[in-house]
Amino acid sequence: MSDNNGRSALYKLDPGQSRFQVRAFAGGMFSALGHNPTLAIHGFGGEVRFVREALEASSLQMKIRPDSLSVVNDVSDKDRREMERAMQQEVLEIAKYPAISFESSRISGSASGGDRYQVDITGNLSLHGVTRSQLVRAYIGLNGERLHAYGEFTLRQTDFKIKLVSVAGGALKLKDELKFSFDIVAVRTDQ
Protein backbone atom coordinates (compact mmCIF):
# COMPACT_ATOMS: atom_id res chain seq x y z
CA MET A 1 0.00 0.00 0.00
CA SER A 2 1.12 3.52 -0.29
CA ASP A 3 2.65 5.13 2.68
CA ASN A 4 1.61 8.55 3.97
CA ASN A 5 3.50 10.22 1.12
CA GLY A 6 1.48 8.35 -1.55
CA ARG A 7 4.32 6.04 -2.67
CA SER A 8 3.82 2.42 -3.54
CA ALA A 9 4.56 -0.39 -1.09
CA LEU A 10 6.22 -3.74 -1.79
CA TYR A 11 4.91 -7.01 -0.33
CA LYS A 12 6.42 -10.49 -0.38
CA LEU A 13 4.06 -13.48 -0.79
CA ASP A 14 4.07 -15.73 2.27
CA PRO A 15 3.16 -19.32 1.34
CA GLY A 16 3.28 -20.38 5.01
CA GLN A 17 0.29 -18.15 5.83
CA SER A 18 -1.49 -18.73 2.52
CA ARG A 19 -3.72 -21.28 0.81
CA PHE A 20 -3.53 -21.88 -2.95
CA GLN A 21 -5.37 -24.85 -4.48
CA VAL A 22 -6.43 -26.25 -7.82
CA ARG A 23 -9.38 -28.56 -8.35
CA ALA A 24 -9.85 -30.92 -11.28
CA PHE A 25 -13.16 -32.54 -12.20
CA ALA A 26 -13.80 -36.14 -13.26
CA GLY A 27 -15.66 -36.83 -16.48
CA GLY A 28 -16.37 -39.81 -18.70
CA MET A 29 -18.81 -42.68 -18.51
CA PHE A 30 -17.83 -43.70 -14.97
CA SER A 31 -17.17 -40.25 -13.53
CA ALA A 32 -19.56 -40.85 -10.63
CA LEU A 33 -17.06 -43.43 -9.35
CA GLY A 34 -14.07 -41.15 -9.67
CA HIS A 35 -12.62 -38.46 -7.50
CA ASN A 36 -12.48 -34.73 -8.20
CA PRO A 37 -8.86 -34.28 -7.15
CA THR A 38 -7.88 -31.18 -5.17
CA LEU A 39 -4.23 -30.20 -5.14
CA ALA A 40 -2.49 -27.85 -2.74
CA ILE A 41 0.20 -25.61 -4.22
CA HIS A 42 2.90 -25.28 -1.56
CA GLY A 43 5.98 -23.96 -3.35
CA PHE A 44 5.35 -20.45 -4.59
CA GLY A 45 6.73 -17.00 -4.09
CA GLY A 46 6.72 -13.56 -5.54
CA GLU A 47 5.90 -9.98 -4.83
CA VAL A 48 3.16 -7.42 -5.08
CA ARG A 49 3.74 -3.73 -5.63
CA PHE A 50 0.53 -2.05 -4.51
CA VAL A 51 -0.27 1.59 -5.19
CA ARG A 52 -3.39 2.57 -3.30
CA GLU A 53 -4.08 5.84 -5.16
CA ALA A 54 -3.28 4.40 -8.63
CA LEU A 55 -4.19 0.70 -8.81
CA GLU A 56 -3.12 0.58 -12.48
CA ALA A 57 0.47 1.25 -11.33
CA SER A 58 0.39 -1.88 -9.13
CA SER A 59 2.01 -5.16 -10.19
CA LEU A 60 2.24 -8.85 -9.32
CA GLN A 61 5.00 -11.34 -10.06
CA MET A 62 4.68 -14.96 -8.98
CA LYS A 63 6.59 -18.19 -9.51
CA ILE A 64 5.31 -21.67 -8.68
CA ARG A 65 7.27 -24.91 -8.36
CA PRO A 66 5.09 -27.57 -10.02
CA ASP A 67 6.86 -30.28 -8.01
CA SER A 68 5.31 -28.75 -4.86
CA LEU A 69 1.73 -29.74 -5.70
CA SER A 70 0.21 -32.42 -3.49
CA VAL A 71 -3.13 -34.20 -3.45
CA VAL A 72 -5.23 -33.17 -0.45
CA ASN A 73 -8.22 -35.48 -1.04
CA ASP A 74 -8.94 -38.28 1.39
CA VAL A 75 -7.42 -41.11 -0.66
CA SER A 76 -5.14 -44.02 0.14
CA ASP A 77 -1.39 -43.38 0.26
CA LYS A 78 -1.00 -45.61 -2.82
CA ASP A 79 -3.60 -43.62 -4.81
CA ARG A 80 -2.07 -40.33 -3.62
CA ARG A 81 1.42 -41.38 -4.76
CA GLU A 82 0.08 -42.53 -8.14
CA MET A 83 -1.94 -39.34 -8.69
CA GLU A 84 1.03 -37.14 -7.78
CA ARG A 85 3.40 -39.19 -9.98
CA ALA A 86 1.04 -38.95 -12.97
CA MET A 87 0.50 -35.22 -12.40
CA GLN A 88 4.22 -34.46 -12.17
CA GLN A 89 5.54 -36.81 -14.87
CA GLU A 90 2.73 -37.16 -17.42
CA VAL A 91 0.61 -34.01 -17.05
CA LEU A 92 2.95 -31.19 -16.00
CA GLU A 93 6.14 -32.89 -17.25
CA ILE A 94 8.15 -31.16 -14.53
CA ALA A 95 11.51 -32.47 -15.77
CA LYS A 96 10.93 -30.50 -18.99
CA TYR A 97 8.96 -27.57 -17.47
CA PRO A 98 10.27 -27.00 -13.90
CA ALA A 99 8.56 -23.64 -13.27
CA ILE A 100 5.23 -21.87 -13.66
CA SER A 101 5.15 -18.07 -13.64
CA PHE A 102 2.65 -15.23 -13.73
CA GLU A 103 3.49 -11.59 -14.35
CA SER A 104 0.82 -8.92 -14.41
CA SER A 105 0.52 -6.73 -17.49
CA ARG A 106 -2.55 -4.71 -16.46
CA ILE A 107 -4.36 -4.11 -13.18
CA SER A 108 -7.65 -2.30 -12.83
CA GLY A 109 -10.11 -2.03 -10.00
CA SER A 110 -11.63 0.11 -7.35
CA ALA A 111 -11.78 0.66 -3.63
CA SER A 112 -14.74 -0.99 -1.96
CA GLY A 113 -14.56 0.78 1.39
CA GLY A 114 -11.86 1.23 3.96
CA ASP A 115 -8.71 -0.65 3.00
CA ARG A 116 -10.55 -3.07 0.71
CA TYR A 117 -10.25 -3.31 -3.07
CA GLN A 118 -11.62 -5.37 -5.92
CA VAL A 119 -9.10 -5.77 -8.74
CA ASP A 120 -8.87 -7.47 -12.11
CA ILE A 121 -5.33 -8.64 -12.78
CA THR A 122 -4.48 -9.50 -16.38
CA GLY A 123 -1.10 -11.08 -16.89
CA ASN A 124 1.05 -13.56 -18.73
CA LEU A 125 0.80 -17.09 -17.35
CA SER A 126 3.65 -19.37 -18.44
CA LEU A 127 2.75 -23.02 -17.91
CA HIS A 128 3.95 -26.19 -19.64
CA GLY A 129 6.01 -24.22 -22.17
CA VAL A 130 3.08 -22.02 -23.24
CA THR A 131 2.49 -18.37 -22.29
CA ARG A 132 -1.06 -17.02 -22.46
CA SER A 133 -2.97 -14.07 -21.10
CA GLN A 134 -4.89 -14.92 -17.92
CA LEU A 135 -7.43 -12.84 -16.01
CA VAL A 136 -7.61 -13.16 -12.23
CA ARG A 137 -10.17 -11.29 -10.13
CA ALA A 138 -9.00 -10.70 -6.58
CA TYR A 139 -10.42 -9.12 -3.46
CA ILE A 140 -7.70 -7.37 -1.49
CA GLY A 141 -7.64 -6.18 2.08
CA LEU A 142 -4.90 -4.28 3.87
CA ASN A 143 -4.22 -4.72 7.55
CA GLY A 144 -1.15 -3.01 8.92
CA GLU A 145 1.89 -4.54 7.23
CA ARG A 146 -0.08 -7.35 5.58
CA LEU A 147 -1.88 -7.61 2.27
CA HIS A 148 -4.54 -10.32 2.02
CA ALA A 149 -5.87 -11.37 -1.41
CA TYR A 150 -8.47 -14.02 -2.19
CA GLY A 151 -10.45 -15.17 -5.20
CA GLU A 152 -10.88 -17.82 -7.87
CA PHE A 153 -10.10 -18.30 -11.55
CA THR A 154 -10.31 -21.07 -14.12
CA LEU A 155 -8.18 -22.24 -17.00
CA ARG A 156 -8.31 -24.97 -19.61
CA GLN A 157 -5.46 -27.46 -19.66
CA THR A 158 -5.54 -27.82 -23.45
CA ASP A 159 -4.87 -24.07 -23.80
CA PHE A 160 -1.43 -24.88 -22.37
CA LYS A 161 -0.91 -28.06 -24.43
CA ILE A 162 -1.44 -30.27 -21.38
CA LYS A 163 -2.80 -33.69 -22.22
CA LEU A 164 -5.92 -34.69 -20.35
CA VAL A 165 -5.46 -37.63 -17.99
CA SER A 166 -7.64 -40.68 -18.50
CA VAL A 167 -7.76 -44.18 -17.04
CA ALA A 168 -9.79 -47.33 -17.66
CA GLY A 169 -9.57 -46.92 -21.42
CA GLY A 170 -10.98 -43.38 -21.27
CA ALA A 171 -14.05 -44.36 -19.22
CA LEU A 172 -12.74 -42.13 -16.41
CA LYS A 173 -10.90 -38.95 -17.34
CA LEU A 174 -10.38 -35.46 -16.06
CA LYS A 175 -12.23 -32.59 -17.67
CA ASP A 176 -10.32 -29.81 -19.41
CA GLU A 177 -11.25 -27.00 -17.00
CA LEU A 178 -9.36 -26.51 -13.74
CA LYS A 179 -10.59 -24.26 -10.94
CA PHE A 180 -8.04 -22.39 -8.82
CA SER A 181 -8.80 -20.78 -5.48
CA PHE A 182 -6.44 -18.65 -3.45
CA ASP A 183 -6.29 -16.99 -0.08
CA ILE A 184 -2.85 -15.42 -0.09
CA VAL A 185 -1.07 -13.31 2.50
CA ALA A 186 1.81 -11.00 1.62
CA VAL A 187 3.98 -9.13 4.11
CA ARG A 188 5.33 -5.63 3.52
CA THR A 189 9.11 -5.59 2.90
CA ASP A 190 10.02 -2.02 1.93
CA GLN A 191 10.09 -0.23 5.24
Side-chain angles (χ1 to χ4, degrees):
M1 298 308 90
S2 344
D3 62 15
N4 293 335
N5 296 322
R7 294 181 306 200
S8 65
L10 187 64
Y11 296 82
K12 181 179 178 184
L13 303 183
D14 185 345
Q17 296 184 57
S18 303
R19 183 186 56 77
F20 192 10
Q21 295 185 328
V22 58
R23 187 164 186 201
F25 300 93
M29 188 166 61
F30 297 117
S31 62
L33 304 175
H35 296 284
N36 291 325
T38 300
L39 306 167
I41 303 169
H42 302 285
F44 66 89
E47 64 183 34
V48 174
R49 180 158 303 280
F50 196 86
V51 185
R52 186 184 307 228
E53 288 80 17
L55 293 176
E56 66 279 359
S58 299
S59 64
L60 167 65
Q61 296 175 340
M62 181 178 217
K63 290 204 181 295
I64 298 168
R65 286 188 7 255
D67 64 348
S68 75
L69 278 68
S70 64
V71 176
V72 296
N73 297 72
D74 187 18
V75 295
S76 71
D77 286 342
K78 179 183 176 221
D79 287 347
R80 181 181 324 283
R81 283 191 303 274
E82 177 55 25
M83 291 168 75
E84 290 174 357
R85 184 207 59 78
M87 175 191 54
Q88 292 179 1
Q89 294 177 11
E90 298 169 24
V91 177
L92 295 175
E93 299 178 272
I94 64 172
K96 191 173 181 181
Y97 308 108
I100 299 167
S101 66
F102 180 84
E103 186 167 342
S104 64
S105 56
R106 181 176 181 273
I107 296 180
S108 62
S110 61
S112 57
D115 282 336
R116 301 195 179 284
Y117 302 82
Q118 179 179 321
V119 296
D120 287 337
I121 306 166
T122 302
N124 294 315
L125 175 61
S126 296
L127 168 64
H128 199 253
V130 175
T131 300
R132 293 181 57 96
S133 181
Q134 178 69 45
L135 172 66
V136 177
R137 175 162 284 163
Y139 301 92
I140 296 175
L142 302 176
N143 184 2
E145 304 308 312
R146 294 165 41 111
L147 180 147
H148 179 219
Y150 65 94
E152 296 180 340
F153 65 96
T154 61
L155 65 80
R156 291 190 338 217
Q157 297 176 77
T158 55
D159 287 345
F160 293 90
K161 298 183 181 176
I162 295 173
K163 76 175 186 179
L164 301 179
V165 174
S166 65
V167 294
L172 179 61
K173 58 186 174 183
L174 292 182
K175 294 181 179 178
D176 194 7
E177 186 174 272
L178 299 174
K179 184 175 187 176
F180 292 78
S181 62
F182 58 92
D183 189 349
I184 293 180
V185 171
V187 178
R188 188 164 178 176
T189 63
D190 64 345
Q191 301 191 22

